């Protein structure tokens, strides 16, 4: 955004703020035209800043992705590698359940083969925790960071229409952890 005119920066910020509210209310399929009207700009202005829906969705969740990345780094110092990995995955799921549109952003596939940068960033953040847990023998060698993010997204998507999605996601996460690792180990 550096090098942009002041009005372009204001438009970007206004579009992003409106989009965050719309996605929170309507989900990942919020109308781009409605976002433009509410922000007081034309559709072309929205598209200049966000060339496609995915770019807009990823901008909305960028700060939270960064917070989850930082959290993963901090957990990398924890003594118990299994607990560290499960804590991070639990926090990822809790956020995916609480932030409407986030899980969709991680699964969103536009007409290209480019992976979601949000999903890639999360996989990159969780990978060191996973590798450490695998080295410690508490997670099976075949589990990937992609598997874990997919699990988190799946739980969030499966519970989004539940009466209490947070409680249901918590229960499902517990079922997965205990079902996969009775007695405390994954591998």
């Amino acid at each position: 955004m550096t090098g942009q005119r002041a009005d372009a920066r204001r438009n970007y910020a206004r579009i992003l703020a409106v989009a965050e509210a719309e996605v929170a209310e309507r989900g990942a399929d919020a109308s781009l035209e409605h976002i433009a009207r509410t922000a007081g700009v034309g559709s072309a202005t929205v598209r200049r800043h966000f060339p496609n829906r995915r770019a807009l969705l990823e901008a909305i969740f960028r700060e939270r992705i960064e917070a989850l990345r930082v959290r993963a780094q901090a957990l990398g110092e924890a003594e118990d590698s299994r607990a560290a990995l499960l804590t991070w995955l639990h926090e990822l799921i809790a956020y995916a359940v609480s932030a409407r549109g986030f899980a969709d952003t991680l699964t969103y596939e536009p007409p290209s083969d480019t992976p979601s940068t949000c999903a890639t960033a999360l996989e990159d953040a969780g990978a060191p925790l996973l590798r450490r847990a695998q080295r410690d023998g508490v997670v099976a060698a075949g589990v990937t960071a992609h598997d874990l993010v997919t699990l988190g997204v799946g739980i969030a998507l499966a519970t989004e229409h539940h009466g209490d999605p947070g409680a249901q996601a918590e229960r499902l996460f517990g079922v997965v952890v205990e079902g996969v690792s009775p007695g405390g180990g994954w591998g």
Side-chain angles (χ1 to χ4, degrees):
M1 292 259 316
T2 55
Q4 283 189 335
R5 296 184 337 241
D7 62 331
R9 287 191 301 274
R10 280 191 301 275
N11 284 344
Y12 178 92
R14 192 167 47 247
I15 292 164
L16 193 55
V18 168
E20 285 180 44
E22 285 297 310
V23 169
E25 184 177 333
R26 291 177 172 71
D29 292 328
S31 165
L32 296 180
E33 288 71 28
H34 181 73
I35 290 169
R37 277 193 308 278
T38 305
V41 300
S43 294
T45 301
V46 171
R47 299 219 184 271
R48 262 193 304 281
H49 289 290
F50 306 100
N52 54 49
R53 178 178 303 277
R54 180 167 152 193
L56 177 62
L57 291 170
E58 292 204 357
I60 289 169
F61 296 113
R62 189 171 291 132
E63 280 184 34
R64 187 57 188 163
I65 296 291
E66 178 60 15
L68 287 165
R69 186 193 65 74
V70 168
R71 181 68 171 135
Q73 279 185 322
L75 287 167
E77 304 298 318
E79 188 173 318
D80 183 339
S81 62
R82 179 181 184 271
L85 178 64
L86 292 178
T87 296
W88 183 79
L89 185 57
H90 181 263
E91 290 174 13
L92 166 64
I93 291 169
Y95 182 68
V97 168
S98 70
R100 191 163 182 192
F102 183 67
D104 287 316
T105 300
L106 298 177
T107 62
Y108 189 36
E109 294 187 31
S112 76
D113 294 330
T114 307
S116 164
T117 58
C118 284
T120 302
L122 286 172
E123 290 172 20
D124 291 348
L129 294 173
L130 175 60
R131 284 192 299 270
R132 184 169 162 236
Q134 287 170 325
R135 275 193 308 270
D136 291 349
V138 294
V139 174
V143 176
T144 67
H146 179 78
D147 294 336
L148 297 178
V149 171
T150 300
L151 174 67
V153 168
I155 289 173
L157 291 174
T159 60
E160 70 183 352
H161 298 294
H162 192 271
D164 185 352
Q168 182 67 358
E170 188 78 25
R171 190 184 83 68
L172 289 176
F173 182 64
V175 166
V176 168
V177 170
E178 289 306 312
V180 171
S181 67
W186 272 7

